[in-house]
Amino acid sequence: MSKIEIRNLVKMYGAHQALHGIDISIAPGEFCVLVGPSGCGKSTTLRMVAGLETISGGEVVIGDRVVNGLKPKDRGIAMVFQNYALYPSKTVYENMSFSLRLAKMPKPEIARRVNDVAQILELTPLLERKPGALSGGQRQRVAMGRAIVRDPEVFLFDEPLSNLDAKLRGQMRAEIKRLHQRLNNTIIYVTHDQVEAMTLADKIVIMKDGRIEQQGTPDEVFHDP
Ligand code: ADP
Ligand code: ADP
């Protein structure tokens, strides 16, 4: 498992400063949730860790490497988005195995991984279905499965549950928590939902206007005066 260090991170969009020097230290296996109102800089922070956004100042360290110049695929990360696009004409198995096939992993190893992850996520009976024949929650599990099969050191979640209804959101929260307890990957999870943050986080970082307002355990952050 990898630690993540975000050091004095700055983001300029032209003349607009979106991040004013953010510092976050995440221990190996820790579940860190970034919360705060829309526009406070959560996504920008996550996308800079992922390598999807250039870094205007500061450093991102994953494991023991500064990753500032590295491509997303070389950072040991996997990302789950709000708009998880599955391939509509491919089966669940093919959706989950796609990135491993691109990486030219041997087929028996691919089958082993996909079947293992399908079991964890209770997707085994659905492997031959196409996304159109799945519920929203099932599709979201496939999107997670697709990330998990790559066995990343670090998971990055950007509002992964915000398109689901309240009941499904609750179920998926429990699922993500269970998954983390089992796999123990290091996680950064972005949400504007305080309940989600409270339920999932080992560490909560509250952001406002491109700065960190407060960080600590859920107890420290939500119960201190
Ligand atoms: P959050 O994820 O907390 O809603 P964002 O990280 O998306 O916030 O945005 C932080 C700030 O950066 C906002 O003021 C937003 O308008 C601005 N911003 C985000 N993406 C871009 C972009 N591609 N170009 C210009 N400004 C952007
Ligand atoms: P190809 O057309 O290149 O053989 P496929 O998608 O048909 O690719 O299958 C890739 C490999 O994964 C094959 O070895 C196939 O037997 C295996 N496979 C396909 N579906 C499953 C499944 N549900 N469980 C286990 N292995 C599977």
Side-chain angles (χ1 to χ4, degrees):
M1 294 302 105
S2 301
K3 67 165 182 181
I4 304 172
E5 298 273 354
I6 295 171
R7 297 179 185 147
N8 199 20
L9 198 63
V10 172
K11 180 63 184 180
M12 305 298 298
Y13 288 111
H16 173 66
Q17 185 158 6
L19 291 182
H20 297 262
I22 298 276
D23 291 288
I24 305 172
S25 184
I26 304 167
E30 196 166 36
F31 198 130
C32 175
V33 178
L34 308 184
V35 276
S38 179
C40 70
K42 306 181 295 294
S43 260
T44 297
T45 304
L46 195 74
R47 291 170 59 79
M48 285 162 90
V49 174
L52 300 173
E53 202 71 77
T54 58
I55 292 174
S56 310
E59 257 178 11
V60 175
V61 176
I62 299 177
D64 47 19
R65 293 183 306 170
V66 175
V67 298
N68 284 35
L70 293 185
K71 295 199 169 79
K73 69 175 173 59
D74 298 325
R75 293 185 178 208
I77 54 134
M79 219 168 158
V80 180
F81 296 94
Q82 174 179 153
N83 298 309
Y84 42 92
L86 301 176
Y87 300 102
S89 63
K90 293 185 193 293
T91 64
V92 168
Y93 184 92
E94 290 163 344
N95 267 283
M96 285 172 65
S97 58
F98 188 74
S99 70
L100 303 181
R101 292 172 59 143
L102 278 188
K104 307 238 183 299
M105 185 179 283
K107 277 187 179 181
E109 170 68 7
I110 294 179
R112 191 186 62 74
R113 285 201 190 193
V114 172
N115 285 310
D116 279 359
V117 172
Q119 198 140 30
I120 294 172
L121 291 173
E122 295 173 10
L123 290 169
T124 305
L126 308 176
L127 282 173
E128 304 305 328
R129 288 204 201 169
K130 305 245 169 100
L134 302 175
S135 71
Q138 290 169 338
R139 280 202 284 269
Q140 177 61 330
R141 292 217 297 278
V142 177
M144 280 207 279
R146 197 167 54 172
I148 296 167
V149 291
R150 294 168 52 204
D151 194 18
E153 289 280 326
V154 170
F155 265 120
L156 305 175
F157 290 94
D158 194 356
E159 305 251 4
L161 307 184
S162 58
N163 285 341
L164 303 177
D165 66 36
K167 178 157 169 265
L168 261 180
R169 248 195 333 266
Q171 286 170 4
M172 291 301 300
R173 264 206 307 272
E175 188 115 34
I176 288 171
K177 202 175 165 117
R178 202 158 49 81
L179 210 58
H180 179 244
Q181 280 161 354
R182 171 154 177 172
L183 301 175
N184 214 37
N185 310 66
T186 312
I187 295 179
I188 305 179
Y189 188 107
V190 163
T191 181
H192 60 267
D193 182 335
Q194 285 209 358
V195 176
E196 217 164 284
M198 282 286 284
T199 321
L200 292 173
D202 297 318
K203 168 188 285 211
I204 293 182
V205 176
I206 300 181
M207 295 181 66
K208 192 180 173 191
D209 298 335
R211 294 188 165 82
I212 291 177
E213 201 168 54
Q214 216 186 339
Q215 58 179 311
T217 65
D219 273 353
E220 287 166 352
V221 165
F222 289 116
H223 298 298
D224 276 9

